Amino acid sequence: MALIDLFNVKKQYDIKVLLNDVDFHLNDGERVTIVGQNGCGKSTLMKIIMGEEEPTEGKRVINNSVQIEMLAQQPTFEATLNVRDAILNELSELKEAKEAYDSLSLEVAEDFDNQEMLKRLEEVTAFLDHHNAWNLDDKVERILQEFKLKEYEYRPVISLSGGEQRRVALASLILKKPDVLLLDEPTNHLDVYMVEFLEEILLKEKFTLLFISHDRHFIDTIATRVVEVDNQELVSYKGGYRDFLVQKEERMKSMAKSHNTLVKMLKREEEWLGKSVRAREKRNQGRKARVFELREQAKRNPTLIRKMQIELEREKQSWKGEKSLSKRKMLFEIENMDYSIAGKNLIKNFSTRILQRDKIAIVGINGAGKSTLLKLLLGRLQADSGSIKKGDFSIGYFDQHREMLNNEQTLIETFCPDGGDHVDVQGAHMHVYAYLKTFLFPEAYMTKKIGQLSGGEKNRVALALLFTKNVECLILDEPTNDLDIQTITILEDKLIAFQGALLFVSHDRYFIDKIASKLIVFKGEGLVEESYQNYTEYLEIEKEVKALSAMEKEFKVNVKKEEKPKEKKQTKLSYKEQIDLDTLPDEIEALENEIEALNTCLGDPECYQKKGLSALSEELSALEAVYEEKTDRYLEVLEVYEDLQ
């Protein structure tokens, strides 16, 4: 069922057209990501869907009963609220519903024949089911822990940093669970563990979701569909990020084939136009106009195909840089280093060596000391104890404040401060226009001042500038923030080709897997360890170890519980449990019959050819998932019922 529809939408600012005659539909249960270059119209599309902006032309159709919520880039809160109250303030409707349920359950138990009360109880139950709001207090507690907000829960929310306030707003929206949730770069300001928790809850709670993200791993895990904003149009691809790449390549090949056909047709029409006197006749003016239309299309197609080809080729680059272990220059040698701030241990007894051509990702939880390590290596901070020996070499540094840029300079002045129009880039002498074009800057930007650019554009300038410096080591702090996926793949290209050492802080798992050959992991409380694993693999193993530890702990707790006197037992089924006990057997039996019918059809060629093998398989898979969920719930309620007998 479609919850949101856009028909023939055009969006234009002055003479700039962002979207031209586009349709968009979001169905219940879909998780759709919007991708495309910065400035292409992703956020504008989301604002039109949210109703914050009106389309220049076209129609937005949304049922008034559909609740849509959006995570603001800069959320606002009442000055008097602390963190916990700011979250609870957004959940007032759910808490009122739970109180109403508790009250109605007691009244229904005393007057079971009151149909009006029963109907109201069913409505409240359905509402709480939809929002999964039965154990709201537990969920609030968990989200405070997972988003690292527990230590701030009684602090005024407006005293937190911008990133922390966004986490509070995101926590509220997740717990509120609107019918449609819109998220613009939700993984910004989250460490990898917070992102994994976000993935878990979005999948488990079955959100209907529309989001913008440059985190390709997040897209691959969450998205059921990718919509690319390209050349003022929307192109839809089924699946996650890797599926998107495969389908985009197929689309590129199809476009190339169609272009070849078009060129042949154009050639025939051009010959007719050049030779035929009849082309001047009035009745042939339509055919003549068609020739001109074919010419324009033939001019556009190669550019679009080449653009897609370049983007796909970047993704196919080797996932690892050079791994030769031959003799390499020592850049840093760290021995038994300690560093703390305000009594908090960030680094404790850490030793390592950093060699020429090392590509090292510095990862871990927020606030553990990752950026601090970079500043220690740069000499901007001094270790409490231990030593850092630095060789004789040059460093290029990128930070979130883009300190190397001057807002009063133009792009051409930034890249050619001594005049001229050429730059040296990793051994190549290039025209500055040609070089900046590789970072997606049009020639018209050359005379723009840095201060006029957006945050993402400034990041692109700063990164492009780094590669014009003759350095042996690059140190980058969150280089992918505010970049679109196309720019990130360009950056990956440059970093893979870079012959010096690379140290970078990032939470972008896809980026880390592609670039890093080594990890420095900040575990918290001063513990820092090294790993040569792929980062995704490292996280999976870490998760398995935690799960085993939790199982072991739970086992010990259960053993202790058995030794204690039994607590007061539940005496009767709740209203919801009684309803499930009464209705689920019939529902399960009906599902079994449907599944049996589908399996019979799949065994009959005449039947499955008529209905479509793919459609039948998808339907069967969906039914089996529902069957498993309802069976688990029935067995759970049955166990409670039997214990009460």
Side-chain angles (χ1 to χ4, degrees), residues 62-200:
I62 296 175
N63 189 312
N64 289 332
S65 66
V66 174
Q67 181 192 23
I68 303 175
E69 298 273 359
M70 182 172 176
L71 175 65
Q73 285 288 351
Q74 295 178 318
T76 56
F77 299 93
E78 290 179 29
T80 57
L81 294 177
N82 62 34
V83 169
R84 176 177 276 275
D85 289 342
I87 292 173
L88 293 174
N89 193 51
E90 292 296 314
L91 305 178
S92 55
E93 188 180 8
L94 298 180
K95 291 184 81 66
E96 286 169 10
K98 182 63 169 66
E99 288 166 5
Y101 169 81
D102 292 338
S103 173
L104 284 164
S105 294
L106 291 173
E107 292 175 33
V108 165
E110 293 174 3
D111 184 8
F112 202 79
D113 294 327
N114 189 324
Q115 294 304 309
E116 187 179 336
M117 204 178 292
L118 276 170
K119 185 181 178 184
R120 173 64 183 143
L121 183 58
E122 285 173 7
E123 288 171 354
V124 173
T125 301
F127 179 80
L128 291 169
D129 274 341
H130 175 72
H131 293 278
N132 197 4
W134 294 101
N135 53 342
L136 210 51
D137 291 336
D138 291 343
K139 292 170 87 171
V140 169
E141 194 63 30
R142 188 183 176 204
I143 211 163
L144 285 169
Q145 295 283 359
E146 296 289 351
F147 276 173
K148 305 293 186 290
L149 294 169
K150 183 67 179 172
E151 59 187 291
Y152 308 130
E153 67 177 319
Y154 298 114
R155 261 179 58 178
V157 68
I158 59 171
S159 71
L160 303 185
S161 70
E164 288 161 347
Q165 287 188 34
R166 261 176 67 88
R167 294 212 299 269
V168 174
L170 180 58
S172 303
L173 285 173
I174 288 170
L175 292 169
K176 197 172 182 180
K177 198 191 175 189
D179 298 323
V180 179
L181 180 57
L182 309 185
L183 301 175
D184 193 348
E185 295 291 2
T187 61
N188 278 3
H189 310 292
L190 302 184
D191 65 35
V192 69
Y193 302 102
M194 296 177 195
V195 174
E196 286 190 329
F197 168 70
L198 177 61
E199 290 170 349
E200 176 196 327

Side-chain angles (χ1 to χ4, degrees), residues 134 148 152 255 259 300 303 361 583 635:
W134 294 101
K148 305 293 186 290
Y152 308 130
M255 282 179 68
H259 178 67
R300 286 195 306 269
T303 305
T583 61
L635 291 173

